[in-house]
Amino acid sequence: MVSSPHETMHHFFRKETAMMVRNFQRLFHVPFPEARDIAVLDTDLTEIDPVERRVDTLMRVDTDEGNFLFAYEAQGKKDEKKPASWAYYVAHLHAKYQLQPVLFVLTQSRATARWAAQPIRLGLSQYPTAVVRPLVLGPDNVPLITDEKQAMEDPSLAVFSAIVHARGKRCAAILEMLARALDTIDADSAAMFAQFVESGLASKQARDIWRNLMATKNYFFRNPVAEGLREEGRVADRAEMTLRILEWRGLAVPDDVRERVLACTDRDQLTAWAERAMHVEVAGELFAD
């Protein structure tokens, strides 16, 4: 199963951004022109400052009325450091691309949604220099889709419904209707939706229900796109494990070591590095012959 939610989100939004625009128009009641062209952008916002700043997913959306940046963030709980990061993302994206940024936050918690939706004010309280207002997808504005017809009419919205309401009492009903809806669309899209749900369900009970529903679905296990995502998830996990071992042992991890480990796509090599990380004296010895 996919264990890299951010990577799956990246693929999902890249494939379904046009549909997302329509959902945002509906959920937020915010007018937004139809997308004419969509492009995936580099999510790394790091500058000379050694602190890494990275949005979860970044898309460029071109319309006849102007071009925009969509920045997506998944937020599990309240984090006092995040508002400053979000303000940085918005300012940096605008400066870097000279396009209007739109920040979206996805959460399964009502309390987190209320916190994330608060305006981020910079400067004087009476006369702020800048105000950042994230658009938050949460339990209060994403509908409970337990009707099969509605799920079939808008599978992407049903996906958000399943993820956002994963901890609710009606989660099983939402997942069942979504599974039926996926049977009516093309296999590639169904596989992408199914993988995104698998990655986004924070509740173990919800994941067990979903895996049971997907047990007989050929597209879930055999589709090459889905298998590619699973492989990417496995590789990403091994790379992160190697770095975590070094950090757990109290070893400093220089940027060049971190970058080389994260850039590696060879599972056997990553396994060897993870084993070596248990014994090295300094992080750079990972790469010793």
Side-chain angles (χ1 to χ4, degrees), residues 1-4 232-242 244:
M1 297 300 180
V2 172
S3 54
S4 179
E232 288 172 4
R234 287 190 287 265
V235 168
D237 273 356
R238 295 192 182 203
E240 291 292 346
M241 180 183 295
T242 301
R244 282 199 298 270

Side-chain angles (χ1 to χ4, degrees), residues 154-254:
D154 197 341
S156 67
L157 186 59
V159 167
F160 275 129
S161 181
I163 292 175
V164 168
H165 297 286
R167 292 191 172 96
K169 296 180 179 179
R170 306 186 70 184
C171 177
I174 298 172
L175 292 173
E176 183 179 358
M177 293 306 105
L178 175 58
R180 294 182 187 180
L182 295 188
D183 285 339
T184 68
I185 63 177
D186 67 276
D188 283 352
S189 294
M192 188 65 66
F193 282 129
Q195 293 293 334
F196 185 57
V197 173
E198 164 70 20
S199 294
L201 293 174
S203 162
K204 182 181 184 303
Q205 181 181 5
R207 285 197 303 272
D208 289 343
I209 293 171
W210 185 242
R211 290 170 183 174
N212 184 58
L213 289 169
M214 292 291 103
T216 60
K217 309 297 184 183
N218 288 337
Y219 61 74
F220 189 63
F221 295 101
R222 299 178 184 174
N223 184 270
V225 176
E227 178 54 35
L229 287 175
R230 285 193 287 272
E231 178 62 24
E232 288 172 4
R234 287 190 287 265
V235 168
D237 273 356
R238 295 192 182 203
E240 291 292 346
M241 180 183 295
T242 301
L243 297 174
R244 282 199 298 270
I245 291 172
L246 294 172
E247 291 166 352
W248 287 338
R249 295 184 58 221
L251 300 180
V253 182

Side-chain angles (χ1 to χ4, degrees), residues 29-50:
H29 308 290
V30 174
F32 191 87
E34 292 298 322
R36 172 167 39 81
D37 188 38
I38 296 165
V40 183
L41 301 178
D42 185 2
T43 61
D44 192 350
L45 307 182
T46 306
E47 296 183 287
I48 296 174
D49 187 335

Side-chain angles (χ1 to χ4, degrees), residues 63-171:
T63 78
D64 291 332
E65 299 179 29
N67 303 330
F68 299 83
L69 296 173
F70 279 11
Y72 300 94
E73 282 279 288
Q75 191 66 31
K77 60 183 179 180
K78 183 177 179 180
D79 181 350
E80 295 296 347
K81 295 181 180 179
K82 273 295 183 177
S85 296
W86 291 341
Y88 171 85
Y89 296 164
V90 170
H92 181 72
L93 289 171
H94 183 263
K96 181 176 181 178
Y97 293 101
Q98 295 297 298
L99 297 174
Q100 294 300 326
V102 183
L103 175 63
F104 298 96
V105 177
L106 175 66
T107 182
Q108 299 166 330
S109 163
R110 282 186 168 84
T112 302
R114 289 192 294 270
W115 163 78
Q118 295 300 310
I120 302 165
R121 301 179 184 277
L122 306 178
L124 299 172
S125 58
Q126 310 93 323
Y127 193 89
T129 303
V131 179
V132 178
R133 298 180 63 92
L135 293 173
V136 181
L137 290 162
D140 289 332
N141 66 343
V142 176
L144 286 158
I145 298 183
T146 57
D147 177 77
E148 184 175 358
K149 181 180 178 182
Q150 189 179 5
M152 290 179 179
E153 289 175 350
D154 197 341
S156 67
L157 186 59
V159 167
F160 275 129
S161 181
I163 292 175
V164 168
H165 297 286
R167 292 191 172 96
K169 296 180 179 179
R170 306 186 70 184
C171 177

